Amino acid sequence: MKLFAVKEQESRAALTPVSAKKFIDKGIEVAIESGLGEQSSFPDTAYTQVGATIQSREEGIKIADIVIRVLAPSVDEVSLMKKGAWHVSLLNPWANADVLAALAQQGINAVSLEMMPRTTLAQKMDVISSQANLAGYMSVVKATDYFSGILPMMMTPAGTLSPAKVFVLGIGVAGLQAIATAKRLGARVTAFDVREEALEQAESLGAKALRIDLGETGSTDQGYAKQLTPEQIAKQQEAQAAVCIDSDIVITTAKVFGRKPPILIKKEVVAQMKAGSVIADLAAEGGGNVEGVVADEVVTTENGVTLLGYHKFENFVSRDASSMFASNIEHFFNHFWDKETSTWLANTQIQLQSEEQDDILKGCLITTGGAIVHEQFKA
Ligand code: NAD
């Protein structure tokens, strides 16, 4: 069985030398596109030293039984793949209908890593969580770079500096890590989420929870927040405005799975913040939580507030982000490793046809047998 890892316009890699060795030890032939790990501190030689080979993109994709990468393939690349091969990556299936159609037409078993079920068993395969953890950490580290002050209280003979005030909006995986990082650096942290259990988690990390009565909010069976009504969003914007204005650093992470993130901080609020303060918006890719934020750009407002629109803060720590991403993919394949026959996916091929599909596969398999099979994307 042959596995090929594609190099992308992206600083992370879906395969590291460590994960390559684990695949090779199981008898898989591993090939990479040259330069795969050059932006994440893994030179080609680190892969060849563990037994991987270098192949051109076209040849690698053509002969592989398994293609792995971080992002979705192009339609042209899909057309090179072998019928019955596996493709494992983030697919952004909401925005890539043409790619899903091509994967189905080509007879590929395509796995969308975004769709990994949020179960205890699947946690080690969950790239959304592993990357959000790093993004939450890096959002605070990057914000301190642009902030004109320090985070901890400092008492010196020249006078006392008060701790910086950090507001974290959205207390999921990224938000919790942002709170923990800001606390470690000595900031005073306030946090808000629509989910009550998230507020309790923030308090357990030493943050002050902002409580706003929005009426019925709720979450999905996967633990994601449900979309708020326009009235609830307006109420939230008003109730949190004073905290935003008073904060030195604001980290926003509020997303709604599969939908555009809500605008939670309006221009009028940003305009009242202090000069030298910073907002890092982790939802910037989908449009952002903050008016005026531009994806992938740093914007300074007229009143001197820096808006960080890096939506992939994890890419600033690409070595660790790649290691976690690659490890998530390796755990996914381990789940389907048949010890008795020492083969990959042998039982999976059978399960693909069966009604009694594995829960993990059922959650994230988008195409197989020439069709789009995932309930959410069939239509
Ligand atoms: P996410 O990235 O979709 O959203 C980030 C946060 O924004 C969430 O906490 C959400 O509640 C919040 N949010 C949404 N709308 C908001 C609004 N209007 N105002 C303020 N906050 C808002 O979510 P996530 O970080 O991926 O995870 C959400 C939950 O799922 C967490 O409880 C997490 O612990 C859980 N989870 C479970 C597993 C597992 O069991 N395997 C894996 C990952 C995450």
Side-chain angles (χ1 to χ4, degrees):
M1 186 166 261
K2 295 186 170 70
L3 179 147
F4 182 64
V6 181
K7 172 181 160 55
E8 294 163 292
Q9 300 292 330
E10 157 68 56
S11 53
R12 293 166 295 171
L15 185 81
T16 61
V18 168
S19 71
K21 181 158 187 329
K22 292 194 174 154
F23 283 115
I24 291 166
D25 287 348
K26 287 211 160 77
I28 307 275
E29 286 177 43
V30 173
I32 64 158
E33 184 175 347
S34 179
L36 171 72
E38 70 188 4
Q39 287 189 64
S40 41
S41 315
F42 302 118
D44 284 355
T45 49
Y47 292 93
T48 52
Q49 272 162 11
V50 298
T53 56
I54 310 285
Q55 225 139 37
S56 73
R57 175 184 296 226
E58 194 174 326
E59 196 52 26
I61 292 177
K62 265 187 189 163
I63 61 175
D65 303 291
I66 302 170
V67 174
I68 62 171
R69 60 198 298 160
V70 175
L71 305 173
S74 68
V75 170
D76 287 347
E77 286 166 332
V78 173
S79 70
L80 297 172
M81 290 183 71
K82 273 199 315 205
K83 185 169 181 239
W86 286 77
H87 192 285
V88 178
S89 72
L90 292 166
L91 284 178
N92 193 6
W94 306 275
N96 282 327
D98 54 340
V99 176
L100 302 194
L103 287 161
Q105 199 190 359
Q106 196 72 9
I108 307 301
N109 304 309
V111 168
S112 173
L113 291 169
E114 292 93 337
M115 304 306 293
M116 195 59 72
R118 308 205 116 183
T119 57
T120 307
L121 185 62
Q123 239 167 0
K124 52 185 179 289
M125 314 168 200
D126 182 359
V127 303
I128 298 295
S129 294
S130 73
Q131 305 301 295
N133 243 315
L134 294 171
Y137 165 80
M138 273 315 288
S139 65
V140 174
V141 171
K142 274 281 157 192
T144 60
D145 250 6
Y146 287 87
F147 175 46
S148 53
I150 61 165
L151 265 55
M153 182 173 90
M154 206 175 271
M155 293 165 87
T156 77
T160 299
L161 293 168
S162 307
K165 291 176 192 158
V166 174
F167 180 40
V168 177
L169 193 46
I171 320 170
V173 179
L176 283 171
Q177 192 55 252
I179 292 170
T181 305
K183 288 296 294 179
R184 281 196 288 259
L185 291 173
R188 192 180 295 160
V189 183
T190 304
F192 174 71
D193 198 293
V194 290
R195 296 177 301 113
E196 173 58 31
E197 65 270 27
L199 291 170
E200 285 162 21
Q201 287 165 353
E203 284 172 326
S204 74
L205 289 174
K208 180 174 175 229
L210 175 68
R211 285 192 162 76
I212 306 171
D213 183 7
L214 295 175
E216 177 63 33
T217 50
S219 46
T220 67
D221 54 3
Q222 293 279 306
Y224 289 114
K226 288 193 179 150
Q227 199 172 20
L228 298 184
T229 63
E231 294 73 31
Q232 284 175 313
I233 290 186
K235 191 169 182 192
Q236 177 184 344
Q237 285 168 346
E238 195 190 326
Q240 73 193 11
V243 181
C244 281
I245 292 164
D246 191 39
S247 295
D248 299 297
I249 293 176
V250 178
I251 309 285
T252 66
T253 77
K255 295 181 189 168
V256 181
F257 190 66
R259 291 177 191 270
K260 199 176 171 331
I263 290 282
L264 299 174
I265 303 180
K266 306 269 276 183
K267 272 198 173 123
E268 303 83 83
V269 172
V270 178
Q272 293 175 69
M273 288 176 69
K274 294 179 287 260
S277 50
V278 183
I279 302 181
D281 188 345
L282 277 72
E285 186 183 23
N289 291 141
V290 185
E291 260 179 1
V293 160
V294 182
D296 284 327
E297 285 188 25
V298 178
V299 174
T300 308
T301 63
E302 272 178 24
N303 58 318
V305 178
T306 307
L307 308 178
L308 303 180
Y310 302 118
H311 64 277
K312 288 183 191 163
F313 279 91
E314 63 272 28
N315 281 16
F316 289 111
V317 282
S318 56
R319 188 200 62 177
D320 289 347
S322 299
S323 294
M324 291 172 96
F325 199 105
S327 169
N328 291 142
I329 290 188
E330 192 229 323
H331 282 298
F332 173 77
F333 281 104
N334 276 346
H335 182 69
F336 300 107
W337 172 249
D338 184 356
K339 280 192 192 127
E340 279 176 28
T341 57
S342 290
T343 49
W344 288 95
L345 307 166
N347 49 354
T348 320
Q349 299 292 2
I350 300 159
Q351 281 183 11
L352 290 176
Q353 325 299 335
S354 133
E355 289 295 301
E356 310 246 317
Q357 237 183 40
D358 178 278
D359 278 344
I360 290 175
L361 207 53
K362 206 186 283 174
C364 62
L365 185 73
I366 308 292
T367 66
T368 189
I372 296 177
V373 291
H374 197 285
E375 286 302 326
Q376 253 187 60
F377 305 103
K378 267 184 187 171

